[in-house]
Amino acid sequence: MKKTYKSRGAFIRNSIIKDLLHLHGMREAQEVIVSGTSAGGLAVLLGLDHIAQIIHTASPETVVGGIVDAGYFPAYKSSRKNYDFNMRQSFNFLNMSAGADIKCTAVADVLSDCAFASNLIPRIHTPHFLMQSRFDKWQIVNELGLGADSTDIVNMYGNFVMTSIFKTVEKNSKATLFLDSCTHHVVIPNTNLASTIIDGKGVAVTDSLRGGCGNLVGITVTPLIFLKFGVKYSYTLAVTAVSINLLHSLLIRNFGVHDADST
């Protein structure tokens, strides 16, 4: 007898948002930031506009934004791994199209195209802030199938990620990107990176930071880059000191909630 497997992710997500609004006071919030790390970051991209729609139905004046931490997984095929194929299989098996952004699924050549951030970001209407590494530790292992000794291939992959994410974010004035060249998977739980401050002086990444953020030996290091594509390439910034406050201010400025304190 054939068994049917049902996934209820979209129903669960929508029910949680409605419960928070109607049973736990979220209707009174002035601003709601939907955030996620890794697969959770991809989940933000998949559902951010729908979540914002649910919130605005109950509370039209609430400002909604998204934070996507390490959620940009390219549709990449290497000689050792086929992440593209595996992700598409997961998307179809779990019926993820039911919870994916309808603006993507409506135009996709195949529904599983919407498993990838590069196809979701250009269509998202809600302001969102992406934090991503060119040399994501998880991606180096699981997309490339490589270790720290394969520097030439890793550098090539890092350039691919940078080119891909720039082209993607440039298509949406609601998207803002914080890109670094440190070898990590996520930013928010990482105390070294979460204590980073940014300024507009264009100072190169210091040797101390190179060691502190855990770069692989031989990997090309570039300054952290902050891009707001509403005003194309308006900032190219470098890391210089230790505080999360200005990064938080940049988030607030991007969402337009109130003026940021840049001191």
Side-chain angles (χ1 to χ4, degrees), residues 130-194:
L130 299 107
M131 296 182 285
Q132 186 72 32
S133 170
R134 290 173 62 203
F135 304 113
D136 186 292
K137 277 186 175 180
W138 189 94
Q139 292 178 9
I140 288 171
V141 174
N142 293 283
E143 293 203 23
L144 288 178
L146 300 174
D149 56 333
S150 308
T151 53
D152 289 342
I153 297 176
V154 173
N155 274 319
M156 183 173 65
Y157 178 75
N159 290 333
F160 168 82
V161 171
M162 181 169 64
T163 300
S164 173
I165 200 168
F166 279 7
K167 287 181 178 179
T168 299
V169 174
E170 188 173 15
K171 296 174 183 177
N172 189 345
S173 63
K174 297 292 186 179
T176 301
L177 168 65
F178 183 77
L179 182 71
D180 69 72
S181 295
C182 300
T183 53
H184 60 87
H185 178 45
V186 295
V187 174
I188 293 173
N190 187 320
T191 54
N192 287 336
L193 292 167

